[in-house]
């Protein structure tokens, strides 16, 4: 039996800490506990406004993680320099400004391509795998391949919000996107809004290798602890 790669996004632990500008709870501890529970990767988003994760968190997680580290960031010169210094295993380029966002919330490569290409090249030259967080859209995926991305993380937000009437269409869009990503020589990942209840239909899509999940795991962790919450999600990712 194989398992999809599970990236646990620990940003919300930092969100809780920053609500008080306190020192706890520590997202670094959370990352270590997620690994104990079977996470294959620790994912964090170092935002330009440092709303939750701070440079210190990014540095310590990069140093201490025993598994893979996946850094989500905007395609800016500042973030590029930080990533090249920290050397995470992968970087996922995500939109932060309104004008960089497609309708459902992925990066709009068709309008930010000029800025994104050099960042992709610099990170890849630094030995970092680079993915683009995109809505399941054929034109965006084609542009990602042209820009030299290693992977595309499919934005599953629309699927996670879909009612009964729309869920089949949303799933089909994700399936088609995963297919197109692999056909164009890239790795297919997915994330956003995935829960213990809706993840199975995504696990069933064979082309998708990796999921990044934050909110649902940390919400459950409030009651059962991060190790146990991670263990339960990891069990659902078996194929
Ligand atoms: N993947 C990416 C690129 C994200 O930015 C996020 C956080 O919004 C996630 C996955 C995790 O989403 P969620 O917290 O809804 O599981």
């Amino acid at each position: 039996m194989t398992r999809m790669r599970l990236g646990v996004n620990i940003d919300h632990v930092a969100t809780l800490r920053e609500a008080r500008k306190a020192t706890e709870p520590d997202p670094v501890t959370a990352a270590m506990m997620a690994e104990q529970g079977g996470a294959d990767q620790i994912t964090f988003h170092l935002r330009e406004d440092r709303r939750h994760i701070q440079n210190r968190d990014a540095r310590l997680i990069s140093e201490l993680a025993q598994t893979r580290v996946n850094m989500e960031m905007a395609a800016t010169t500042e973030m590029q320099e930080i990533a090249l210094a920290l050397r995470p295993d992968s970087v996922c380029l995500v939109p932060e400004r309104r004008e960089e966002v497609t309708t459902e919330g992925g990066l709009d490569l068709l309008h930010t391509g000029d800025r994104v290409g050099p960042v992709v090249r610099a990170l890849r030259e630094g030995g970092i795998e680079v993915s683009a967080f995109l809505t399941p859209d054929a034109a965006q995926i084609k542009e990602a391949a042209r820009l030299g991305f290693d992977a595309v993380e499919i934005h599953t937000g629309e699927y996670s919000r879909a009612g009964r009437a729309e869920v089949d269409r949303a799933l089909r869009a994700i399936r088609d996107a995963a297919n197109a990503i692999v056909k164009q020589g890239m790795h297919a990942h997915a994330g956003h809004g995935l829960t213990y209840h809706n993840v199975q239909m995504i696990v069933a899509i064979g082309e998708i290798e990796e999921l990044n999940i934050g909110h649902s795991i940390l919400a459950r962790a409030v009651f059962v602890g991060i190790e146990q919450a991670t263990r339960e999600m990891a069990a659902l990712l078996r194929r």
Side-chain angles (χ1 to χ4, degrees):
M1 180 152 349
T2 57
R3 214 186 67 198
M4 286 172 107
R5 183 155 66 233
L6 172 61
V8 176
N9 181 316
I10 44 83
D11 293 349
H12 285 337
V13 178
T15 303
L16 184 55
R17 178 192 61 194
E18 295 306 311
R20 271 279 172 105
K21 296 275 174 239
T23 54
E24 63 182 8
D26 192 336
V28 181
T29 309
M32 302 302 106
M33 294 180 80
E35 287 189 328
Q36 292 298 315
D40 305 297
Q41 168 166 291
I42 301 302
T43 296
F44 61 83
H45 183 178
L46 186 66
R47 293 186 63 97
E48 286 179 272
D49 63 9
R50 306 298 194 274
R51 183 183 301 177
H52 38 54
I53 294 289
Q54 306 297 312
N55 290 36
R56 164 268 185 205
D57 306 327
R59 193 181 66 247
L60 287 175
I61 290 168
S62 300
E63 269 177 33
L64 297 173
Q66 303 285 314
T67 60
R68 288 171 56 96
V69 173
N70 176 41
M71 174 173 163
E72 297 173 358
M73 59 177 237
T76 64
T77 312
E78 185 206 4
M79 286 301 153
Q80 176 183 315
E81 280 168 15
I82 294 175
L84 286 172
L86 295 181
R87 306 250 164 189
D89 296 278
S90 55
V91 156
C92 181
L93 295 182
V94 298
E96 287 189 14
R97 296 197 200 97
R98 190 179 285 236
E99 67 272 17
E100 299 172 330
V101 185
T102 58
T103 19
E104 291 100 19
L107 193 59
D108 186 357
L109 291 179
L110 302 177
H111 296 98
T112 49
D114 279 359
R115 215 159 41 76
V116 171
V119 177
V120 176
R121 272 195 299 283
L123 293 172
R124 294 192 77 231
E125 277 165 20
I128 300 170
E129 281 176 33
V130 191
S131 72
F133 188 43
L134 301 180
T135 51
D137 176 281
Q140 296 285 348
I141 290 165
K142 198 167 162 202
E143 186 62 8
R146 196 186 68 80
L147 289 168
F149 279 93
D150 298 288
V152 170
E153 179 166 330
I154 304 169
H155 194 308
T156 48
E158 204 186 353
Y159 162 71
S160 72
R161 286 188 306 271
R164 250 166 224 257
E166 304 128 30
V167 74
D168 283 347
R169 199 183 51 78
L171 260 179
R172 199 171 324 119
I174 295 171
R175 255 187 239 118
D176 290 348
N179 208 283
I181 291 162
V182 171
K183 266 205 183 112
Q184 289 174 61
M186 298 179 288
H187 298 282
H189 305 163
H192 198 88
L194 297 178
T195 69
Y196 295 86
H197 305 291
N198 69 17
V199 78
Q200 254 125 350
M201 298 303 281
I202 303 298
V203 176
I205 304 174
E207 288 87 354
I208 300 179
E209 295 172 30
E210 170 185 311
L211 300 182
N212 288 295
I213 307 179
H215 187 91
S216 188
I217 292 176
L218 293 179
R220 185 153 180 72
V222 171
F223 302 109
V224 304
I226 293 176
E227 253 189 82
Q228 175 66 12
T230 303
R231 200 170 294 123
E232 289 175 23
M233 185 60 83
L236 296 177
L237 268 55
R238 288 199 194 110
R239 283 170 161 159

